[in-house]
């Protein structure tokens, strides 16, 4: 009798499980359920529509350090399917990936549709049956290790194997149907978001980017260094997004109201910057400060920081008043910004939280509590920072689940 796998979720992890299971087990009927009318929607928008497929990590340990939650879990999982396997898998299907200077990997076409088309072709070739607008209401174990999937609408379905790849949820209540299987759920919290600083004059500089700044959350150990982008609502860019991922739970506890301290010149701290300004007063004395930008900051930002420090437009370095110098040091090395709220980063929302990892075997992605129940992707309490890490977890967990199901047949 033909056996059936039902995959719940039509995102990257669900699709990768479905197409690999169907390819590895031609005798297996694979049915993929998606609650919306769209497949692979996050793949579509990732990387500004280019799809940041993975990250060119030198080794597993390096890769694992980029997951605020689930480091030990992914370290074990990556031993079964890692970045070179992802590259080879897509290459074997005519999709070549390229590596950018920061390690992010994209299809050479710079178009996410390339990845989507590849996965859809694979599903078609291996006869994966896709059902859209199918929201799951409950999972019920049947005798002999089989499962019944009750839908919000329509007749229930039965399966020999289940893979839940339903993504993250913003509200804990959305996990109820999974909690009913006996699994503990870690409460969700947003990850990867930008900082809102409403009403601050800095937002007038929207579009200005600083290649290397340091952002700290006052009163915590949270800090990150990297590119920072000023937006019309506040701060964004890789340093801020990484900070939001590492601080997801802590910042949620602060209700997204905290002071961000920005060092625009992280090669200096307060005292060394004070010394550098003193030196500039002697070496550049006759030059106007507004025209001389000694720290290679974007010119608009440099002039804004001078204005905020009370430096007049005609001021020469030699004539810098002590009070203005003190303020300039503070604004350059530790500008205080009152953050009040967050904004989801484009459509690339990620949540931390989900199925607690002690209940899942990282070598098989199978539940330790309920046999023949597998998990893949963001529905688990694993999340990476921005840069291709979340997709690598999706490919890895999807492939492992498929491979484990094959070994059970």
């Amino acid at each position: 009798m033909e056996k059936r796998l039902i995959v719940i979720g039509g995102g990257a992890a669900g699709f990768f499980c479905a197409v690999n299971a169907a390819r590895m087990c031609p005798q297996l009927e694979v049915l993929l359920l998606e609650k919306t009318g769209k497949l692979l929607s996050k793949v579509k928008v990732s990387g500004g529509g280019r799809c940041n497929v993975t990250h060119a990590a030198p080794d597993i340990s390096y890769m694992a350090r980029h997951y605020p939650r689930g480091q030990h879990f992914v370290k074990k999982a990556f031993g079964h399917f890692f970045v070179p396997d992802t590259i080879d898998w897509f290459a074997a299907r005519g999709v070549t990936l390229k590596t950018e200077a920061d390690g992010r990997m994209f299809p050479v076409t710079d178009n996410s549709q390339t990845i989507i088309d590849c996965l859809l072709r694979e599903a078609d070739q291996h006869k994966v049956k896709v059902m859209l607008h199918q929201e799951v209401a409950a999972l019920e174990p049947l005798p002999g290790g089989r499962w019944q999937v009750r839908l919000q609408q329509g007749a229930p379905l039965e399966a020999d194997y289940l893979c839940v790849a339903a993504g993250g949820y913003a509200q804990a209540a959305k996990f109820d149907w999974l909690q009913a299987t006996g699994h503990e759920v870690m409460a969700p919290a947003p990850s990867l978001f930008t900082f809102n600083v409403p009403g601050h004059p800095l937002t007038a500089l929207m579009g200005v980017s600083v290649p290397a700044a340091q952002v700290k959350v006052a009163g915590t150990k949270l800090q990150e260094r990297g590119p920072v982008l000023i937006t019309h609502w506040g701060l964004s860019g890789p340093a801020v997004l990484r900070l939001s991922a590492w601080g997801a739970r802590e910042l949620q506890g602060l209700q997204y109201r905290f002071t961000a301290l920005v060092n625009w010149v992280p090669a200096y701290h307060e005292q060394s910057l004070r010394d550098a300004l003193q030196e500039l007063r002697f070496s550049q004395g006759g030059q106007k400060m507004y025209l001389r930008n000694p720290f290679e900051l974007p010119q608009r930002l440099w002039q804004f920081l001078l204005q905020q420090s009370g430096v007049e437009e005609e001021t020469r370095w030699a004539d810098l008043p002590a009070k203005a110098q003190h303020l300039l040091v503070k604004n350059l090395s530790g500008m205080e910004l009152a953050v009040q709220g967050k904004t989801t980063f484009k459509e690339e929302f990620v949540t931390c939280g989900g199925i607690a990892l002690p209940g899942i075997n990282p070598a098989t992605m199978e539940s330790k509590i309920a046999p023949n129940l597998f998990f893949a992707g963001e529905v688990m309490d694993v999340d990476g920072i921005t840069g291709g890490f979340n997709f690598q977890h999706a490919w890895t967990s999807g492939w492992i689940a498929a491979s484990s199901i094959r070994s059970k047949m």
Side-chain angles (χ1 to χ4, degrees):
M1 190 177 98
E2 190 179 55
K3 295 205 164 187
R4 176 192 271 176
L5 160 67
I6 292 180
V7 178
I8 300 167
F15 242 86
F16 214 64
C17 174
V19 298
N20 281 295
R23 178 178 56 83
M24 293 174 191
C25 319
Q27 72 279 30
L28 180 68
E29 183 198 0
V30 180
L31 182 57
L32 185 144
L33 308 179
E34 166 55 42
K35 71 177 180 182
T36 72
K38 288 182 181 174
L39 298 169
L40 300 163
S41 53
K42 271 198 191 177
V43 173
K44 181 79 176 163
V45 300
S46 155
R50 296 194 298 144
C51 187
N52 185 183
V53 177
T54 184
H55 197 94
D59 54 52
I60 287 173
S61 291
Y62 173 90
M63 192 82 169
R65 288 198 294 274
H66 293 79
Y67 294 80
R69 283 145 293 270
Q71 282 191 21
H72 298 301
F73 187 88
V74 296
K75 207 169 183 179
K76 290 174 184 168
F78 288 154
H80 300 270
F81 190 93
F82 192 44
V83 175
D85 303 300
T86 300
I87 296 166
D88 292 347
W89 193 95
F90 282 105
R93 288 152 184 84
V95 177
T96 307
L97 303 182
K98 61 173 180 176
T99 306
E100 301 205 336
D102 58 5
R104 292 181 302 161
M105 298 192 74
F106 296 89
V108 290
T109 58
D110 276 329
N111 189 343
S112 58
Q113 197 61 42
T114 306
I115 301 297
I116 293 170
D117 290 344
C118 172
L119 292 168
L120 291 175
R121 271 196 311 272
E122 195 75 3
D124 194 46
Q125 184 184 337
H126 297 293
K127 299 179 172 57
V128 173
K129 187 179 176 188
V130 176
M131 295 173 66
L132 299 176
H133 302 291
Q134 298 292 332
E135 187 167 0
V136 174
L139 304 177
E140 293 174 0
L142 298 171
R146 299 185 81 243
W147 287 90
Q148 183 181 77
V149 179
R150 290 215 337 262
L151 303 170
Q152 296 285 8
Q153 293 176 313
L157 302 167
E158 290 191 7
D160 299 276
Y161 312 103
L162 278 184
C163 179
V164 177
Y169 291 112
Q171 291 94 28
K174 294 278 181 75
F175 284 101
D176 286 353
W177 63 285
L178 289 169
Q179 219 159 357
T181 62
H183 281 269
E184 183 188 356
V185 170
M186 306 305 288
S191 186
L192 294 190
F193 49 84
T194 61
F195 297 171
N196 295 355
V197 286
H200 196 283
L202 181 72
T203 57
L205 302 184
M206 63 181 185
V208 170
S209 179
V210 180
Q214 183 172 283
V215 186
K216 293 174 72 170
V217 176
T220 75
K221 292 180 178 176
L222 296 168
Q223 67 174 51
E224 280 289 332
R225 183 172 172 169
V228 169
L229 173 68
I230 300 168
T231 70
H232 65 278
W233 63 84
L235 296 180
S236 185
V240 171
L241 295 171
R242 286 201 296 268
L243 197 57
S244 76
W246 286 106
R249 295 229 175 268
E250 210 167 337
L251 299 180
Q252 185 186 45
L254 295 171
Q255 297 182 313
Y256 309 106
R257 294 180 184 279
F258 54 89
T259 299
L261 303 171
V262 184
N263 184 344
W264 301 107
V265 286
Y268 299 88
H269 52 71
E270 193 172 326
Q271 187 53 51
S272 62
L273 186 59
R274 203 177 297 283
D275 295 342
L277 289 182
Q278 200 60 34
E279 172 62 32
L280 284 162
R281 292 184 64 170
F282 292 113
S283 62
Q284 310 293 330
Q287 296 217 24
K288 288 183 180 177
M289 293 181 69
Y290 272 72
L291 302 178
R292 177 89 179 104
N293 176 356
F295 302 106
E296 297 183 355
L297 290 170
Q299 191 64 16
R300 283 175 65 203
L301 176 61
W302 172 243
Q303 293 184 353
F304 170 81
L305 292 169
L306 292 174
Q307 285 167 4
Q308 291 290 301
S309 307
V311 179
E312 300 288 339
E313 207 164 312
E314 298 298 311
T315 305
R316 298 176 192 277
W317 278 100
D319 304 326
L320 176 63
K323 185 181 176 186
Q325 179 174 321
H326 176 74
L327 276 173
L328 184 57
V329 168
K330 196 167 164 31
N331 283 325
L332 276 166
S333 64
M335 182 173 229
E336 293 187 11
L337 297 169
V339 176
Q340 294 176 39
K342 60 175 173 40
T343 297
T344 301
F345 179 58
K346 299 180 182 173
E347 293 90 348
E348 297 178 48
F349 61 94
V350 170
T351 57
C352 69
I355 302 294
L357 300 179
I360 305 167
N361 180 346
T364 63
M365 296 298 147
E366 187 173 9
S367 164
K368 295 178 184 176
I369 295 160
N372 298 327
L373 174 61
F374 297 81
F375 296 97
E378 206 192 322
V379 73
M380 296 183 272
D381 187 25
V382 174
D383 64 290
I385 63 170
T386 182
F389 300 100
N390 287 301
F391 271 134
Q392 185 55 52
H393 166 59
W395 313 131
T396 292
S397 53
W399 188 89
I400 291 174
S403 177
S404 306
I405 289 162
R406 176 188 60 182
S407 68
K408 283 189 150 225
M409 290 188 66

